Structure formats: C-alpha cells, structure tokens
Amino acid sequence: MTEKALYPNNLRFDLSADQIKALGEEIQAKSQAHLDLIAATQDPTWETILQLSDESAIFGSGFSNCYFPSYVSADKNIRDASSETYTKLEAYAIEKSFRHDVYSVVQRYAQKHDASKFNAEENRFLEKVLEAYERKLLRVSLRIW
C-alpha cells in the first residue's frame, strides 16, 4: 500500500517564461502572507511553530519549479526567466530567514514549551528552529560591531 505524500513532488516542465515569473511572485507573496500571520500571533502554540515547516515545504516546492528550468530547458527565454526568478527568490529566502518578528514568536513559544509533553522529534525541531534564527541574528549583530 502506498501512502500519499503530504508534499508530493510537483516539479513542472510545462511552464512558460511568463508563468515562471508569475509563479515566483506568487510564491513570494504566499510566503510573506504566511510568515506575517505567524508573526502576528500573540499566544503561539505548537501548531504555530509547525506552520513554519509548512511554509518552508510549500516555498521549497514552488522554488524548485522556478529554478529547475534554468538547468534543463532548451528555450533560452525560459532559462533566462528561470534564472531571474531564482535570483529574486533566493534574495527573498535570505530576507525571510532574518525575520525577527517570526523569531520572537518562536522564542515566546519556547519559553512556555513543556518538553515532557512532546516527543523527541518535536522537541528537536523546536530546538533547530531556534538555533537557526539565533545563528543568523548573532551574525547580524556581530556585523554591526
């Protein structure tokens, strides 16, 4: 018996140059809206933290559809649109990883998190999310000095 994947491989090979550009803009807008919702959370729960994983999976899947054609398409216009969209999405990915407002929500949740009520994988996920933000934010603060 096969189990349907939560985030199946949705790689597309039929996108035009304009569709790739539009998809890139759509992915960024959806990601921004998703992260804005997380950042606006006043009383974060475990589900709030899991939304970060959902956002990452959705962004990654769409991101692949935007950059993969730059490697395989025979059409130069598609390769160029793919490369251009990749550059924009890569810049956005860096920007979104430094969102202090999202980090603050994760941090507030971590302060009230009762590790005994969660399994090892869930606790490790929270630990790694915090660690990733702290490393990035520490690098930024070190550059200021």
mmCIF file of all heavy atoms in Angstrom, residues 33-53:
data_model
loop_
_atom_site.group_PDB
_atom_site.id
_atom_site.type_symbol
_atom_site.label_atom_id
_atom_site.label_comp_id
_atom_site.label_asym_id
_atom_site.label_seq_id
_atom_site.Cartn_x
_atom_site.Cartn_y
_atom_site.Cartn_z
ATOM 1 N N ALA A 33 2.751 36.334 3.255
ATOM 2 C CA ALA A 33 1.474 36.330 3.976
ATOM 3 C C ALA A 33 1.477 35.291 5.094
ATOM 4 O O ALA A 33 1.004 35.553 6.203
ATOM 5 C CB ALA A 33 0.327 36.067 3.001
ATOM 6 N N HIS A 34 2.023 34.124 4.800
ATOM 7 C CA HIS A 34 2.096 33.043 5.791
ATOM 8 C C HIS A 34 2.954 33.481 6.985
ATOM 9 O O HIS A 34 2.562 33.311 8.145
ATOM 10 C CB HIS A 34 2.686 31.800 5.120
ATOM 11 C CG HIS A 34 2.415 30.532 5.842
ATOM 12 N ND1 HIS A 34 1.691 29.514 5.288
ATOM 13 C CD2 HIS A 34 2.764 30.098 7.071
ATOM 14 C CE1 HIS A 34 1.619 28.507 6.139
ATOM 15 N NE2 HIS A 34 2.271 28.842 7.223
ATOM 16 N N LEU A 35 4.117 34.038 6.703
ATOM 17 C CA LEU A 35 5.003 34.480 7.773
ATOM 18 C C LEU A 35 4.427 35.671 8.533
ATOM 19 O O LEU A 35 4.617 35.784 9.756
ATOM 20 C CB LEU A 35 6.391 34.805 7.224
ATOM 21 C CG LEU A 35 7.168 33.595 6.702
ATOM 22 C CD1 LEU A 35 8.468 34.043 6.049
ATOM 23 C CD2 LEU A 35 7.431 32.579 7.796
ATOM 24 N N ASP A 36 3.697 36.541 7.843
ATOM 25 C CA ASP A 36 3.037 37.667 8.511
ATOM 26 C C ASP A 36 2.002 37.160 9.517
ATOM 27 O O ASP A 36 1.874 37.716 10.608
ATOM 28 C CB ASP A 36 2.377 38.604 7.505
ATOM 29 C CG ASP A 36 3.381 39.432 6.714
ATOM 30 O OD1 ASP A 36 4.573 39.478 7.098
ATOM 31 O OD2 ASP A 36 2.972 40.019 5.688
ATOM 32 N N LEU A 37 1.265 36.120 9.139
ATOM 33 C CA LEU A 37 0.289 35.528 10.059
ATOM 34 C C LEU A 37 0.978 34.949 11.295
ATOM 35 O O LEU A 37 0.503 35.123 12.421
ATOM 36 C CB LEU A 37 -0.519 34.427 9.371
ATOM 37 C CG LEU A 37 -1.674 34.867 8.505
ATOM 38 C CD1 LEU A 37 -2.277 33.680 7.753
ATOM 39 C CD2 LEU A 37 -2.747 35.542 9.346
ATOM 40 N N ILE A 38 2.074 34.266 11.072
ATOM 41 C CA ILE A 38 2.824 33.700 12.200
ATOM 42 C C ILE A 38 3.331 34.827 13.088
ATOM 43 O O ILE A 38 3.203 34.778 14.317
ATOM 44 C CB ILE A 38 3.984 32.818 11.704
ATOM 45 C CG1 ILE A 38 3.435 31.573 11.000
ATOM 46 C CG2 ILE A 38 4.918 32.431 12.853
ATOM 47 C CD1 ILE A 38 4.473 30.757 10.254
ATOM 48 N N ALA A 39 3.889 35.856 12.488
ATOM 49 C CA ALA A 39 4.454 36.969 13.250
ATOM 50 C C ALA A 39 3.392 37.713 14.056
ATOM 51 O O ALA A 39 3.696 38.282 15.107
ATOM 52 C CB ALA A 39 5.166 37.935 12.309
ATOM 53 N N ALA A 40 2.159 37.704 13.592
ATOM 54 C CA ALA A 40 1.076 38.413 14.280
ATOM 55 C C ALA A 40 0.481 37.611 15.436
ATOM 56 O O ALA A 40 -0.356 38.126 16.175
ATOM 57 C CB ALA A 40 -0.023 38.767 13.281
ATOM 58 N N THR A 41 0.919 36.381 15.602
ATOM 59 C CA THR A 41 0.387 35.519 16.655
ATOM 60 C C THR A 41 0.786 36.043 18.031
ATOM 61 O O THR A 41 1.971 36.210 18.321
ATOM 62 C CB THR A 41 0.900 34.076 16.477
ATOM 63 O OG1 THR A 41 0.558 33.626 15.166
ATOM 64 C CG2 THR A 41 0.317 33.148 17.519
ATOM 65 N N GLN A 42 -0.203 36.293 18.857
ATOM 66 C CA GLN A 42 0.050 36.816 20.202
ATOM 67 C C GLN A 42 0.371 35.713 21.205
ATOM 68 O O GLN A 42 1.221 35.880 22.066
ATOM 69 C CB GLN A 42 -1.170 37.615 20.696
ATOM 70 C CG GLN A 42 -1.454 38.838 19.854
ATOM 71 C CD GLN A 42 -0.276 39.806 19.827
ATOM 72 O OE1 GLN A 42 0.290 40.138 20.866
ATOM 73 N NE2 GLN A 42 0.093 40.249 18.639
ATOM 74 N N ASP A 43 -0.334 34.591 21.092
ATOM 75 C CA ASP A 43 -0.141 33.481 22.018
ATOM 76 C C ASP A 43 0.196 32.227 21.211
ATOM 77 O O ASP A 43 -0.680 31.420 20.916
ATOM 78 C CB ASP A 43 -1.404 33.276 22.857
ATOM 79 C CG ASP A 43 -1.207 32.259 23.965
ATOM 80 O OD1 ASP A 43 -0.053 32.076 24.414
ATOM 81 O OD2 ASP A 43 -2.208 31.637 24.375
ATOM 82 N N PRO A 44 1.474 32.069 20.846
ATOM 83 C CA PRO A 44 1.842 30.955 19.964
ATOM 84 C C PRO A 44 1.640 29.586 20.604
ATOM 85 O O PRO A 44 1.818 29.411 21.804
ATOM 86 C CB PRO A 44 3.314 31.213 19.664
ATOM 87 C CG PRO A 44 3.792 32.098 20.755
ATOM 88 C CD PRO A 44 2.615 32.875 21.244
ATOM 89 N N THR A 45 1.246 28.645 19.766
ATOM 90 C CA THR A 45 1.072 27.251 20.172
ATOM 91 C C THR A 45 2.003 26.380 19.336
ATOM 92 O O THR A 45 2.691 26.876 18.433
ATOM 93 C CB THR A 45 -0.386 26.796 19.931
ATOM 94 O OG1 THR A 45 -0.642 26.849 18.523
ATOM 95 C CG2 THR A 45 -1.375 27.676 20.690
ATOM 96 N N TRP A 46 1.984 25.093 19.588
ATOM 97 C CA TRP A 46 2.791 24.166 18.806
ATOM 98 C C TRP A 46 2.386 24.233 17.329
ATOM 99 O O TRP A 46 3.231 24.170 16.440
ATOM 100 C CB TRP A 46 2.653 22.745 19.354
ATOM 101 C CG TRP A 46 3.388 21.736 18.533
ATOM 102 C CD1 TRP A 46 2.854 20.723 17.817
ATOM 103 C CD2 TRP A 46 4.807 21.685 18.303
ATOM 104 N NE1 TRP A 46 3.845 20.026 17.164
ATOM 105 C CE2 TRP A 46 5.054 20.595 17.453
ATOM 106 C CE3 TRP A 46 5.884 22.446 18.736
ATOM 107 C CZ2 TRP A 46 6.332 20.248 17.029
ATOM 108 C CZ3 TRP A 46 7.152 22.098 18.303
ATOM 109 C CH2 TRP A 46 7.369 21.009 17.461
ATOM 110 N N GLU A 47 1.098 24.400 17.060
ATOM 111 C CA GLU A 47 0.616 24.497 15.685
ATOM 112 C C GLU A 47 1.223 25.716 14.982
ATOM 113 O O GLU A 47 1.498 25.680 13.786
ATOM 114 C CB GLU A 47 -0.912 24.557 15.643
ATOM 115 C CG GLU A 47 -1.588 23.223 15.924
ATOM 116 C CD GLU A 47 -1.471 22.761 17.379
ATOM 117 O OE1 GLU A 47 -1.440 23.624 18.290
ATOM 118 O OE2 GLU A 47 -1.383 21.551 17.597
ATOM 119 N N THR A 48 1.427 26.789 15.728
ATOM 120 C CA THR A 48 2.060 27.984 15.161
ATOM 121 C C THR A 48 3.469 27.646 14.676
ATOM 122 O O THR A 48 3.872 28.045 13.583
ATOM 123 C CB THR A 48 2.145 29.113 16.219
ATOM 124 O OG1 THR A 48 0.858 29.324 16.786
ATOM 125 C CG2 THR A 48 2.675 30.393 15.612
ATOM 126 N N ILE A 49 4.202 26.897 15.488
ATOM 127 C CA ILE A 49 5.573 26.522 15.143
ATOM 128 C C ILE A 49 5.575 25.587 13.931
ATOM 129 O O ILE A 49 6.413 25.718 13.038
ATOM 130 C CB ILE A 49 6.279 25.869 16.351
ATOM 131 C CG1 ILE A 49 6.227 26.779 17.574
ATOM 132 C CG2 ILE A 49 7.711 25.481 16.003
ATOM 133 C CD1 ILE A 49 6.721 28.196 17.365
ATOM 134 N N LEU A 50 4.611 24.684 13.878
ATOM 135 C CA LEU A 50 4.529 23.764 12.735
ATOM 136 C C LEU A 50 4.229 24.496 11.434
ATOM 137 O O LEU A 50 4.598 24.031 10.359
ATOM 138 C CB LEU A 50 3.462 22.698 12.985
ATOM 139 C CG LEU A 50 3.838 21.601 13.964
ATOM 140 C CD1 LEU A 50 2.678 20.624 14.133
ATOM 141 C CD2 LEU A 50 5.091 20.876 13.525
ATOM 142 N N GLN A 51 3.584 25.644 11.513
ATOM 143 C CA GLN A 51 3.307 26.420 10.310
ATOM 144 C C GLN A 51 4.604 26.845 9.616
ATOM 145 O O GLN A 51 4.623 27.036 8.408
ATOM 146 C CB GLN A 51 2.464 27.648 10.646
ATOM 147 C CG GLN A 51 1.034 27.316 10.994
ATOM 148 C CD GLN A 51 0.248 28.550 11.388
ATOM 149 O OE1 GLN A 51 0.603 29.669 11.039
ATOM 150 N NE2 GLN A 51 -0.827 28.351 12.126
ATOM 151 N N LEU A 52 5.672 26.987 10.378
ATOM 152 C CA LEU A 52 6.977 27.308 9.775
ATOM 153 C C LEU A 52 7.434 26.180 8.856
ATOM 154 O O LEU A 52 7.990 26.423 7.782
ATOM 155 C CB LEU A 52 8.024 27.565 10.851
ATOM 156 C CG LEU A 52 7.879 28.861 11.617
ATOM 157 C CD1 LEU A 52 8.827 28.886 12.808
ATOM 158 C CD2 LEU A 52 8.134 30.043 10.712
ATOM 159 N N SER A 53 7.191 24.958 9.289
ATOM 160 C CA SER A 53 7.560 23.801 8.473
ATOM 161 C C SER A 53 6.706 23.751 7.210
ATOM 162 O O SER A 53 7.218 23.488 6.110
ATOM 163 C CB SER A 53 7.375 22.519 9.283
ATOM 164 O OG SER A 53 7.662 21.393 8.509
#
